[in-house]
Amino acid sequence: MRILSIETSCDETSVAIVERINDFRVQVLSETTATSLATHARTGGIIPENAARAQVEYIIPTIEQTLLKASFNKNPQDFLKHEIDAIAVTYGPGLIGSLLVVVEAAKTLAYSLNKPIIPVNHLLAHLYANFISPSPQSSPIKNGRGSKKSSLARDERERVRVRDLFPFIGLIVSGGHTDLLYFNSHTEYQWLGGTRDDAAGECLDKSGRLIGCSYPAGPEIEKKANQFHLRGGISTTPRENVKFQSPLLHSDDFDFSFSGLKAEVSRFVQKSSPLPLGEQRPVSNGTGGWGEGLSNETKNEMCYALQKAIFDVLISKTLNAAEKFNVPNILLGGGVSANQTLIEQFKLKTKDQRLTTHILAPERKYSTDNGAMIGAYAALNYDPKPWNEITANPELYFA
Ligand code: KG4
Ligand code: ZN
């Protein structure tokens, strides 16, 4: 089963061709991602119309490029017609303009080529990035079928050892969502809790703007936090007045809340770099006004404290869920799971508590939005729908 999968729910236009290996693994044969991040960095965040316009511009070239790579520059149209079994597409949640582009493109392909189409929930797909085997980008497609032998990276050995990932607790941490789910099998899952307001990534992005980081702030916050940590050695802790509260850390549920943390960061910045009387702080775009009065050392310290406040509650509630449901595995997914400190802290905490729970996170490039995860979900939950019944759903959540 070979699937052409397309993801454009936000600012990435990402297309992949994936192949199902077995019930728990897919291999990526080819992938291309175009991003309009530079445009959004200039505006300090995503303006939905700008994102949708970029999707319209990128969608066809990105599909063509992915087919070209997979067919080794032969004839992409022939390859699409004869070697692709189905089309998979994100239909929500996300920005309506961006979703409309991808859904209409996928429906047109499915209708004109008479191929099955599988609509995919973007959030569930983030967890399915863990089911992707690392595959050499150049793996040749011999006799029309892909080579199934791929060199196993270290992480993959861990995955093979775990083999059957079910049952697991899934933690989705992205720019728009923070959710905890219990999975018993591909089709049986239960939502346990999620954020009551801002998502973890959103908190990083918005707080980052206040500190003076560019959009998206997550990667820069990780770097700055590491600089603070490395400077002072292993035992570095932020000064008492730079510590932030971990929201809902001790609540007896699986809920999260991050908007108060953002407000705390805002208060700290205003207190630390007061403006002359009568002057107004501009609306922050990460480039001026906010964070200007803070020293680099203080910014690094704040990033460390902010990350810690967010990660402590993510880790604590996820481990509580793993204990309650007695699962052997925890799967992370979403852009924030690209953060190496989060993964390391998860592993350290399980070790400290003498737990045998395995912590798995996608390969870094599959943590943030990508087409391959859409293909992974579709290949392992093959459920085509009539093309004319598929509509973009920006509010899509869990069934
Ligand atoms: O999953 P994703 O690409 O898009 C959504 O579905 O929202 O996640 C984007 C989020 C942004 O908030 C970004 O700041 C965050 O992921 N992010 C990170 C890192 N890389 C991306 N957060 C922390 N550390 C990172 N290394
Ligand atoms: Zn996402």
Side-chain angles (χ1 to χ4, degrees):
M1 161 77 50
R2 203 177 271 166
I3 298 181
L4 176 78
S5 50
I6 322 176
E7 148 68 33
T8 79
S9 64
C10 192
D11 57 333
E12 256 95 19
T13 314
S14 185
V15 180
I17 297 172
V18 306
E19 189 161 52
R20 187 178 183 282
I21 299 174
N22 60 34
D23 283 353
F24 305 105
R25 283 286 165 273
V26 301
Q27 188 177 27
V28 180
L29 303 180
S30 150
E31 59 191 325
T32 315
T33 300
T35 178
S36 50
L37 210 67
T39 309
H40 310 309
R42 278 197 294 277
T43 49
I46 294 177
I47 294 176
E49 286 76 10
N50 290 347
R53 239 173 259 134
Q55 302 288 11
V56 172
E57 192 183 332
Y58 296 155
I59 186 82
I60 303 290
T62 311
I63 293 173
E64 273 174 354
Q65 188 64 27
T66 311
L67 288 165
L68 265 175
K69 281 193 236 169
S71 64
F72 281 84
N73 295 332
K74 286 189 191 130
N75 186 329
Q77 275 89 2
D78 278 354
F79 187 81
L80 176 58
K81 257 189 234 155
H82 304 300
E83 304 289 346
I84 297 292
D85 303 302
I87 314 285
V89 61
T90 307
Y91 74 111
L95 303 173
I96 182 64
S98 296
L99 285 170
L100 280 172
V101 175
V102 71
V103 167
E104 293 313 310
K107 280 161 69 171
T108 308
L109 283 177
Y111 172 72
S112 59
L113 298 167
N114 196 22
K115 301 219 184 263
I117 176 166
I118 306 125
V120 175
N121 179 325
H122 176 91
L123 298 176
L124 296 178
H126 265 309
L127 293 177
Y128 272 72
N130 286 286
F131 292 77
I132 299 173
S133 289
S135 79
Q137 283 302 288
S138 54
S139 78
I141 301 200
K142 291 174 190 148
N143 307 324
R145 291 284 126 187
S147 157
K148 284 181 185 160
K149 278 187 190 159
S150 64
S151 56
L152 295 181
R154 202 185 48 205
D155 267 10
E156 180 61 2
R157 272 187 230 118
E158 168 84 355
R159 279 167 222 279
V160 170
R161 195 157 65 81
V162 174
R163 198 162 285 279
D164 185 350
L165 297 173
F166 297 102
F168 66 80
I169 293 294
L171 173 67
I172 302 163
V173 263
S174 69
H177 295 86
T178 304
D179 291 290
L180 262 179
L181 294 103
Y182 163 70
F183 267 81
N184 194 35
S185 69
H186 285 303
T187 49
E188 293 166 84
Y189 66 87
Q190 182 189 340
W191 181 81
L192 305 177
T195 184
R196 296 177 185 173
D197 38 59
D198 290 358
E202 188 179 356
C203 179
L204 286 168
D205 292 339
K206 289 180 175 167
S207 304
R209 260 164 69 151
L210 300 173
I211 297 170
C213 302
S214 57
Y215 179 85
E220 194 175 334
I221 289 177
E222 178 178 19
K223 221 158 90 194
K224 286 191 183 323
N226 284 344
Q227 277 165 7
F228 173 74
H229 190 57
L230 291 174
R231 207 188 105 250
I234 202 104
S235 58
T236 329
T237 47
R239 285 168 289 161
E240 215 37 61
N241 66 331
V242 194
K243 282 185 180 157
F244 300 119
Q245 298 290 324
S246 243
L248 299 184
L249 183 61
H250 301 295
S251 71
D252 193 17
D253 52 31
F254 297 117
D255 285 357
F256 302 95
S257 163
F258 295 109
S259 66
L261 190 50
K262 180 188 65 192
E264 226 189 309
V265 172
S266 163
R267 278 195 297 275
F268 183 90
V269 174
Q270 307 219 34
K271 215 169 59 198
S272 310
S273 53
L275 291 175
L277 208 63
E279 238 177 72
Q280 287 241 321
R281 218 175 278 271
V283 175
S284 167
N285 63 4
T287 53
W290 288 84
E292 266 180 3
L294 302 168
S295 69
N296 282 339
E297 308 254 301
T298 304
K299 285 184 184 179
N300 293 351
E301 191 173 7
M302 289 176 75
C303 288
Y304 180 90
L306 172 66
Q307 246 191 205
K308 182 166 167 35
I310 295 175
F311 292 175
D312 280 357
V313 64
L314 290 176
I315 294 169
S316 165
K317 297 224 168 172
T318 309
L319 292 184
N320 286 349
E323 193 184 349
K324 179 170 175 185
F325 288 86
N326 194 22
V327 298
N329 301 315
I330 289 172
L331 271 58
L332 312 180
V336 182
S337 73
N339 189 298
Q340 296 308 297
T341 308
L342 175 66
I343 300 167
E344 277 163 27
Q345 288 299 318
F346 251 115
K347 290 186 175 168
L348 272 177
K349 253 304 188 299
T350 47
K351 209 163 144 200
D352 278 359
Q353 297 184 8
R354 295 178 195 284
L355 303 172
T356 52
T357 327
H358 297 278
I359 308 294
L360 292 156
E363 227 180 289
R364 206 180 170 112
K365 65 175 174 175
Y366 297 132
S367 291
T368 47
D369 291 350
N370 65 90
M373 69 183 194
I374 304 300
Y377 185 86
L380 301 178
N381 294 274
Y382 188 73
D383 188 14
K385 296 274 186 274
W387 68 268
N388 53 355
E389 285 176 20
I390 298 171
T391 46
N393 182 354
E395 306 292 336
L396 181 71
Y397 210 40
F398 301 105

